[in-house]
Amino acid sequence: MSEDWKSILKKSITRPEQILERFKIDIEPIKAVVEKYPMFISRYYFDLIEEVDDPIWRQCIPSPLELQDPYGYEDPLNEEGDSPVPGLVHRYPDRVLMCVSNSCATYCRFCTRKRKVGKPAINFTDEIYLAQIQYIRENPSIRDVLLSGGDPFMLPDEKIEFLLKKLRAIPHVEILRIGSRVPCTLPQRITPKLCRMLKKYHPLYVNVHFEHPREITEEAERACGLLADAGIPLGNQSVLLRGINDDPEVMKSLVQKLLKIRVRPYYLFQMDLVKGTYHFRTRVEVGLKILENLIGKTSGLAVPRFIIDAPGGGGKIPLQPEYVLSMDDEKVVLRNYEGNIYVYPQIPRESEETPSTLRFHRPYAQLKR
Ligand SMILES: *Cc1c(COP(=O)(O)O)cnc(C)c1O
Ligand code: SF4
């Protein structure tokens, strides 16, 4: 049996001096960053670092560049503007994002909620949870509730069950989702006991958050396996990060490894314009190139959707390399993943005069000609 997650958390890295235990670096610049943006790294995730500035290091060790961001906003997606009740973001017609925790097993330096993470932005009491749940109960259009944070799995099992039970009791809530980076940064948190509890609240989906193939360890595989064995479909959300995973081959390796641990790539996010994260940002073409290297070249199951969450709160917008070269009344000209050109003939536009039987047969007649 692996070490208990609570004792791993107790040994977390929260002070720059602790980095010196393994790496000889100048920690003075890091101290200044930590004053503005706290550091918290689980011992497990810290141990995944192999050397200074490697892809794991860059995700969790504060960088002086965080204080030199020329652009960036505290709340780039205007989540506060779409928040009817503290912690709840109601942006889309049929679903809500419900933040239930401020803490995470590791603070990602690129976090979209950098403004909140590690700070007591909202003091999550039962009163707050009940106000969030009340809002959901009063809005029958909400059929999908997404627990997020911070990280919901940082809460005790009993608190998670309290939330799931209350939400499940609302008749119009069809599906529940949990977004968590714990399977990546503290996989020991995913215990058989937690999974036995979760499976009582199906249909429940979990979206995990892996960024780099080196994060797919035996422990991560065990954690995802336990969740999957509890019947929970797993998706992955990655953020495209400069100098970490902005390489087509690194990303291909990540998505293929995810499928091997029963996680289906869901979204690949273009970096949000978060204050303090400029150095992680890539140009948008980089993401399109990564998709080009996946679509058709590996399992369709491995291909995430590439998303820009519109600055200012317009929501998620999917992007894709151009496969439609032209489209007119008669035909669509397409290219495939190898760059070959294909023509797909259109059926005639439906008109009132065309008898319905003819409508069906026409395109085939046209093909024969
Ligand atoms: C991302 C997000 C969701 C969920 O979006 P899906 O595309 O359904 O996964 C819901 N609400 C908010 C505010 C979000 O940012
Ligand atoms: S786990 Fe999620 S919420 Fe927490 S710091 Fe990382 S990206 Fe942000």
Side-chain angles (χ1 to χ4, degrees), residues 150-211:
D151 201 310
F153 285 150
M154 291 302 281
L155 299 174
D157 291 4
E158 300 69 41
K159 192 60 76 180
I160 301 171
E161 178 153 32
F162 164 88
L163 295 168
L164 294 178
K165 193 180 243 166
K166 288 236 176 314
L167 290 167
R168 237 320 136 240
I170 302 174
H172 56 263
V173 172
E174 294 172 6
I175 64 168
L176 298 169
R177 293 199 256 177
I178 294 176
S180 171
R181 206 173 179 206
V182 149
C184 172
T185 54
L186 185 64
Q188 297 78 1
R189 167 69 183 101
I190 307 301
T191 59
K193 176 169 166 280
L194 173 69
C195 294
R196 274 196 302 277
M197 183 276 284
L198 294 175
K199 72 192 282 191
K200 292 194 272 173
Y201 299 95
H202 275 311
L204 172 70
Y205 292 74
V206 169
N207 265 350
V208 296
H209 193 167
F210 290 88
E211 316 289 355

Side-chain angles (χ1 to χ4, degrees), residues 89 91-92 95 97 146 177 266-267 316:
V89 186
R91 167 155 303 155
Y92 300 100
R95 54 207 189 279
L97 186 91
L146 172 46
R177 293 199 256 177
Y266 179 55
Y267 284 154
K316 296 179 179 72

Side-chain angles (χ1 to χ4, degrees), residues 289-303:
K289 231 190 193 132
I290 284 170
L291 285 204
E292 283 258 26
N293 189 49
L294 297 177
I295 296 172
K297 295 183 182 150
T298 190
S299 319
L301 280 172
V303 185

Side-chain angles (χ1 to χ4, degrees), residues 339-351:
N340 301 329
I341 311 290
Y342 298 86
V343 176
Y344 184 89
Q346 295 266 53
I347 59 166
R349 281 186 195 281
E350 298 200 0
S351 72

Side-chain angles (χ1 to χ4, degrees), residues 77 79 82 89-92 94-98 113 144 146 177 207 237 266-267 269 305 307 309 315-316:
L77 306 179
E79 293 190 320
D82 276 341
V89 186
H90 191 184
R91 167 155 303 155
Y92 300 100
D94 68 342
R95 54 207 189 279
V96 287
L97 186 91
M98 180 173 165
R113 306 209 181 94
D144 174 4
L146 172 46
R177 293 199 256 177
N207 265 350
Q237 312 200 141
Y266 179 55
Y267 284 154
F269 287 111
R305 282 218 282 168
I307 301 282
D309 218 331
K316 296 179 179 72

Side-chain angles (χ1 to χ4, degrees), residues 186-288:
L186 185 64
Q188 297 78 1
R189 167 69 183 101
I190 307 301
T191 59
K193 176 169 166 280
L194 173 69
C195 294
R196 274 196 302 277
M197 183 276 284
L198 294 175
K199 72 192 282 191
K200 292 194 272 173
Y201 299 95
H202 275 311
L204 172 70
Y205 292 74
V206 169
N207 265 350
V208 296
H209 193 167
F210 290 88
E211 316 289 355
H212 192 276
R214 270 192 25 215
E215 296 168 343
I216 315 286
T217 61
E218 267 177 39
E219 289 91 338
E221 178 171 8
R222 190 202 56 93
C224 293
L226 279 176
L227 290 166
D229 283 347
I232 301 170
L234 300 175
N236 184 65
Q237 312 200 141
S238 291
V239 184
L240 185 51
L241 299 164
R242 187 157 83 191
I244 295 171
N245 60 16
D246 59 341
D247 175 280
E249 289 311 309
V250 169
M251 205 46 104
K252 188 184 268 176
S253 160
L254 173 63
V255 294
Q256 289 175 340
K257 285 190 167 179
L258 283 167
L259 288 185
K260 285 170 71 180
I261 64 165
R262 303 159 75 185
V263 177
R264 162 117 211 237
Y266 179 55
Y267 284 154
L268 171 63
F269 287 111
Q270 175 69 19
M271 271 292 300
D272 293 325
L273 308 177
V274 190
K275 187 91 189 155
T277 65
Y278 182 81
H279 56 294
F280 287 116
R281 239 168 274 157
T282 51
R283 286 185 56 84
V284 174
E285 293 90 328
V286 174
L288 292 173

Side-chain angles (χ1 to χ4, degrees), residues 18-65:
Q18 291 169 283
I19 301 171
L20 297 173
E21 291 167 20
R22 287 189 56 209
F23 304 100
K24 299 288 154 261
I25 54 151
D26 175 14
I27 56 166
E28 286 312 310
I30 293 183
K31 284 183 176 167
V33 183
V34 169
E35 274 175 36
K36 177 135 196 237
Y37 302 116
M39 170 174 72
F40 191 98
I41 310 167
S42 78
R43 182 58 61 168
Y44 162 83
Y45 198 70
F46 186 66
D47 287 346
L48 292 187
I49 299 176
E50 286 172 2
E51 58 188 16
V52 172
D53 229 18
D54 76 4
I56 308 293
W57 174 287
R58 288 182 176 181
Q59 291 185 60
C60 64
I61 303 285
S63 158
L65 296 172

